[in-house]
């Protein structure tokens, strides 16, 4: 009665076929990552050293280190975060916790989605028009960071909303029914339970911001600067642009230097992503409901 | 209907909740029809009736959570402790403080047992820096009242969400008590619990009578009979009968009530 029928056999074969197919697709997915990393390490790994990270470029950028670019990237990313995180989180809290579902919020949603779809070169030109010229910040860290901030704002808003939405409605109801105001509910219950997700989103934003080139090359990043930035109104070098420059614009750059810069950039991004994933797993393990 | 004995010196409302000509609409759908009720102060009153008859709706209008839905319209009066809670000068936060609510699914907050109990207290006593020992006392007395103290007193820092369902529901009742509400509304508080948990929570509710006015919705006829002093039978948004529980079950005045308690409505 329980013996295998011909149909069972056929179903099983089809089922195996699809399993293998999907597995292969998945493997395909990681091949480029592996190849990129392997190439970078093979060709650029030899140059990586403490000195490389912490000295200035020399000989018209064909030798020496990458310190000004590294520092510049940290500057740009930090200022961009300072601008976009408070704004994005506040907007997400408003949309998720206060706003009802009406035409106003729907228009805002639409705007956010569209903002996410704008190509980065368009953001760059907007940044030039708005921050460099109109607000008179000149080509500076501030202008570059604000441009990046606007570009990554949708990411922050969407990821923050997701984490707010993941907080069970029952918690809010419990608070409201004890007479807590919306704000008390948000501060004491919603935010503490959403903060892990919000931070994960922020770290992902950092990793995205780190690698962007187009939005900063017209607004604040310079090809080469003989000095380090002293404040947000200075220009700066940046890692992503530096890579572009040494790889394509300067003759006579040794291969391992260009690949070394790329390796550092990728390492920073991967590090951020890993931190974000580890952090999420850690907090998910702690959470219980 | 005699109210429980009351102290002569302080005038206490005879009825904790009075509704008159209460009508409620969800959009165009009318869910309550001319509900007139007088709920005795300090008693346990149960609310029974077939599914969809408006029990939850009635309960939820007594602490004004229905109005969170934009499309709800209410006509008529609901007085709690002789004050119409729909008057314009009524502060919603005070209503919620006076009238606690317990839900079908226990919903403790994902914070420690201790913080769960102090939550309401902290919200309603901003700036009042009560000392650690005061707070301990509040936590202890609330837990004692819900018969939970012995079970959890050694793990007050454990999350409320990690308790068993029965304990969670008790905790949800306990956290209402520190702000000294006069009315507790309970919407099928035992229906997510096993029989043992149900018995335990019922026992607790019975312990609280006298001190609080309790209005409890239940599907469980035996529970209504065991654990309430008065009983209201509703049908299709109307109150059919309101009597002392014993009388309602033994000698119902209305035919519909008799049919329902004999199980003819399901
Ligand atoms: N939010 C709502 N929007 C629209 N109609 C609703 C809403 N809540 C309840 N109703 C309707 O109002 C009527 C009464 O519902 P209510 O939840 O008060 O019934 P109930 O007696 O509590 O039922 P149950 O025993 O199943 O919990 C039902 O017909 C229901 O469909
Ligand atoms: Mg109900």
């Amino acid at each position: 009665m329980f013996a295998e029928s011909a149909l069972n056999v056929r179903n099983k074969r089809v089922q195996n076929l699809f399993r293998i197919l999907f597995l292969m697709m998945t493997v395909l997915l990681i091949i480029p990552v592996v190849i990129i990393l392997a190439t970078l390490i093979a060709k650029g790994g030899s140059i990586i050293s403490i000195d490389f990270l912490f000295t200035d470029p020399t000989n018209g950028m064909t030798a020496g280190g990458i310190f000004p670019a590294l520092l510049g990237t940290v500057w740009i990313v930090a200022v961009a975060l300072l601008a976009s995180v408070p704004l994005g989180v506040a907007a997400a809290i408003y949309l998720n916790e206060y706003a009802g579902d009406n035409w106003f919020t729907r228009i805002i949603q639409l705007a956010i989605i569209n903002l996410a779809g704008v190509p980065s070169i368009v953001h760059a030109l907007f940044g030039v028009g708005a921050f460099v010229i109109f607000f008179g910040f000149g080509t500076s860290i501030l202008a570059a960071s604000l441009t990046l901030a606007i570009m990554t704002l949708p990411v922050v808003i969407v990821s923050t909303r997701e984490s707010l939405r993941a907080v069970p409605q029952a918690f809010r109801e419990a608070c409201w029914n004890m007479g807590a105001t919306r704000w008390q509910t948000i501060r004491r219950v919603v935010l503490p339970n959403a903060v892990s997700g919000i931070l994960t989103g922020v770290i992902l934003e950092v990793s995205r911001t780190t690698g962007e080139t187009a939005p900063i090359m017209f607004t604040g990043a310079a090809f080469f600067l003989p000095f380090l930035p002293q404040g947000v109104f200075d220009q700066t070098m940046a890692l992503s642009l530096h890579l572009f420059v040494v790889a394509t614009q300067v003759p006579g750059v040794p291969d391992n230097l260009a690949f070394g810069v790329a390796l550092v950039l990728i390492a920073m991004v991967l590090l951020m992503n890993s931190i974000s994933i580890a952090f999420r797993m850690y907090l998910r393990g702690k959470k219980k409901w | 209907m005699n109210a429980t004995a009351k102290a002569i010196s302080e005038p206490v409302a005879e009825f904790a909740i009075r509704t008159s000509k209460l009508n409620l609409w969800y959009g165009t759908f009318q869910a309550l029809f001319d509900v007139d009720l007088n709920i005795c102060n300090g008693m346990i009153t149960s609310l029974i009736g077939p599914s969809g008859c408006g029990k939850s709706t009635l309960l939820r209008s007594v602490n004004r959570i229905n109005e969170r839905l934009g499309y709800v319209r209410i006509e008529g009066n609901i007085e709690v402790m002789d004050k119409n809670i729909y008057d314009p000068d009524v502060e919603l936060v005070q209503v919620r403080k006076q009238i606690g609510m317990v839900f079908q699914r226990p919903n403790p907050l994902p914070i420690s047992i201790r913080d769960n109990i102090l939550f309401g207290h902290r919200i309603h006593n901003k700036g009042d820096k009560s000392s650690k020992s005061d707070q301990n006392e509040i936590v202890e007395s609330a837990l004692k009242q819900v018969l939970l103290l012995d079970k959890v007193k050694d793990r007050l820092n454990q999350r409320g969400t990690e308790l068993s369902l029965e304990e969670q529901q008790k905790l949800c009742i306990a956290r209402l008590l520190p702000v000294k509400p006069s009315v507790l509304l309970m919407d099928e508080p035992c229906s997510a619990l096993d029989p043992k948990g149900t018995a335990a929570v019922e026992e607790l509710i019975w312990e609280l009578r006298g001190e609080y006015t309790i209005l409890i919705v239940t599907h469980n006829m035996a529970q209504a009979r065991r654990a309430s002093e008065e009983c209201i039978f509703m049908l299709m948004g109307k109150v059919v009968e309101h009597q002392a529980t014993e009388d309602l079950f033994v000698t119902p005045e209305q035919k519909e009530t008799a049919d329902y308690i004999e199980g003819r409505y399901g």
Side-chain angles (χ1 to χ4, degrees):
Chain A
M1 176 159 54
F2 296 125
E4 199 171 51
S5 75
L7 184 64
N8 292 151
V9 174
R10 195 176 150 267
N11 282 346
K12 242 184 241 167
R13 198 176 301 140
V14 173
Q15 125 92 7
N16 269 329
L17 196 73
F18 274 100
R19 199 173 56 91
I20 290 167
L21 191 71
F22 291 144
L23 174 70
M24 273 163 53
M25 298 294 188
T26 312
V27 172
L28 226 54
L29 193 83
I30 62 168
I31 287 176
V33 180
V34 172
I35 292 179
I36 291 175
L37 267 182
T39 317
L40 289 183
I41 291 172
K43 298 200 176 177
S46 59
I47 202 171
I48 305 292
S49 67
I50 296 290
D51 261 7
F52 182 69
L53 296 178
F54 292 106
T55 57
D56 289 351
T58 51
N59 290 341
M61 293 190 273
T62 54
I66 55 166
F67 184 61
L70 195 60
L71 186 72
T73 291
V74 173
W75 263 100
I76 289 176
V77 170
V79 176
L81 278 187
L82 281 180
S84 64
V85 171
L87 201 64
V89 171
I93 291 178
Y94 177 77
L95 287 173
N96 205 61
E97 304 294 321
Y98 289 94
D101 185 20
N102 53 33
W103 63 268
F104 175 66
T105 47
R106 260 178 251 158
I107 286 179
I108 293 183
Q109 302 251 35
L110 205 64
I112 293 169
I113 293 169
N114 282 314
L115 195 59
V118 173
S120 59
I121 188 68
V122 176
H123 278 290
L125 297 178
F126 168 77
V128 172
F131 302 122
V132 177
I133 299 169
F134 184 78
F135 287 112
F137 297 151
T139 44
S140 61
I141 291 176
L142 188 60
S145 294
L146 290 180
T147 308
L148 282 177
I150 289 194
M151 204 181 87
T152 47
L153 209 47
V155 182
V156 182
I157 294 178
V158 169
S159 72
T160 304
R161 275 197 83 172
E162 290 301 318
S163 21
L164 292 175
R165 215 176 283 155
V167 177
Q169 193 64 14
F171 294 166
R172 295 186 184 85
E173 305 241 316
C175 293
W176 294 336
N177 285 303
M178 279 189 280
T181 60
R182 292 227 165 208
W183 172 239
Q184 286 170 325
T185 307
I186 292 168
R187 220 205 55 192
R188 287 161 184 263
V189 175
V190 179
L191 279 185
N193 285 294
V195 75
S196 60
I198 296 175
L199 284 180
T200 312
V202 168
I203 299 173
L204 280 179
E205 186 209 352
V206 171
S207 86
R208 168 134 192 246
T209 316
T210 306
E212 281 298 334
T213 315
I216 60 172
M217 68 189 292
F218 308 124
T219 52
F223 271 36
F224 178 73
L225 282 180
F227 53 84
L228 295 175
Q230 303 299 310
V232 292
F233 291 105
D234 286 346
Q235 281 193 52
T236 181
M237 295 179 73
L239 216 48
S240 53
L241 183 62
H242 189 59
L243 173 59
F244 172 70
V245 170
V246 294
T248 64
Q249 307 291 302
V250 183
V253 176
D255 253 11
N256 68 345
L257 193 143
F259 279 104
V261 176
L263 185 57
V264 173
L265 190 59
I266 284 255
M268 278 175 80
V269 171
L270 287 186
L271 183 72
M272 287 296 168
N273 289 350
S274 323
I275 290 176
S276 147
I277 291 166
F279 193 62
R280 182 161 36 190
M281 290 197 322
Y282 166 72
L283 284 159
R284 190 175 289 162
K286 271 182 46 171
K287 184 150 50 177
K288 285 193 191 77
W289 63 64
Chain B
M1 287 189 292
N2 272 325
T4 41
K6 42 187 173 175
I8 302 156
S9 52
E10 43 182 290
V12 183
E14 182 182 357
F15 299 113
I17 308 168
R18 300 154 62 113
T19 69
S20 50
K21 293 267 167 295
L22 180 67
N23 287 283
L24 184 144
W25 291 262
Y26 289 111
T28 54
F29 172 78
Q30 184 164 7
L32 294 179
F33 296 82
D34 285 336
V35 171
D36 288 313
L37 279 176
N38 293 315
I39 312 276
C40 289
N41 200 348
M43 271 199 189
I44 303 178
T45 305
S46 59
L47 205 49
I48 59 171
S51 194
C53 70
K55 307 181 294 291
S56 301
T57 303
L58 176 60
L59 209 64
R60 294 161 70 90
S61 18
V62 177
N63 73 344
R64 292 181 54 178
I65 34 176
N66 268 334
E67 66 196 66
R68 249 200 331 261
L69 307 167
Y71 53 93
V72 169
R73 190 162 62 84
I74 291 181
E75 270 176 18
N77 273 347
I78 302 180
E79 287 175 16
V80 174
M81 294 305 179
D82 289 336
K83 173 73 186 156
N84 184 0
I85 56 166
Y86 284 87
D87 275 351
D89 65 336
V90 165
E91 167 60 46
L92 204 53
V93 169
Q94 292 299 333
V95 171
R96 300 280 157 77
K97 184 179 164 186
Q98 278 301 312
I99 306 170
M101 181 133 187
V102 179
F103 297 85
Q104 188 166 354
R105 268 210 75 77
N107 59 350
L109 294 170
I111 49 182
S112 72
I113 295 175
R114 191 186 144 83
D115 289 338
N116 258 291
I117 291 174
L118 289 170
F119 189 88
H121 173 76
R122 284 176 176 148
I123 282 173
H124 294 290
N125 297 278
K126 257 295 166 52
D128 157 52
K129 292 269 165 287
S130 37
S131 68
K132 190 98 181 168
S133 66
D134 283 350
Q135 293 188 351
N136 286 341
E137 209 160 291
I138 290 170
V139 172
E140 230 170 75
S141 106
L143 284 174
K144 195 181 278 169
Q145 279 194 74
V146 300
L147 318 173
L148 199 57
L149 184 61
D150 292 335
K151 258 193 214 155
V152 303
K153 66 168 175 273
D154 299 324
R155 43 183 182 140
L156 291 178
N157 291 321
Q158 196 185 339
R159 276 173 181 245
T161 37
E162 289 167 10
L163 296 171
S164 76
L165 277 180
E166 170 201 331
E167 292 162 343
Q168 285 187 22
Q169 195 61 299
K170 286 181 167 179
L171 179 62
C172 289
I173 297 173
R175 72 179 171 193
L176 302 173
L177 306 182
V179 300
K180 308 200 166 40
S182 43
V183 175
L184 300 180
L185 306 173
M186 306 190 179
D187 198 344
E188 305 185 34
C190 299
S191 62
L193 310 181
D194 61 11
K196 190 181 134 289
T198 303
V201 171
E202 260 176 37
E203 180 195 342
L204 151 65
I205 294 170
W206 194 247
E207 287 290 318
L208 293 174
R209 93 188 175 285
E211 213 167 328
Y212 306 92
T213 304
I214 298 175
L215 188 55
I216 174 173
V217 169
T218 175
H219 264 134
N220 181 333
M221 222 87 65
Q223 181 177 68
R225 199 164 176 173
R226 274 195 305 265
S228 71
E229 294 158 280
E230 292 195 350
C231 187
I232 298 166
F233 172 62
M234 287 182 72
L235 191 61
M236 315 250 294
K238 297 188 180 108
V239 171
V240 174
E241 191 159 350
H242 178 186
Q243 287 216 57
T245 303
E246 223 19 70
D247 298 342
L248 187 127
F249 279 97
V250 178
T251 53
E253 278 168 13
Q254 306 293 328
K255 182 171 176 308
E256 289 103 322
T257 316
D259 287 349
Y260 181 70
I261 57 185
E262 280 159 30
R264 258 171 266 167
Y265 283 101

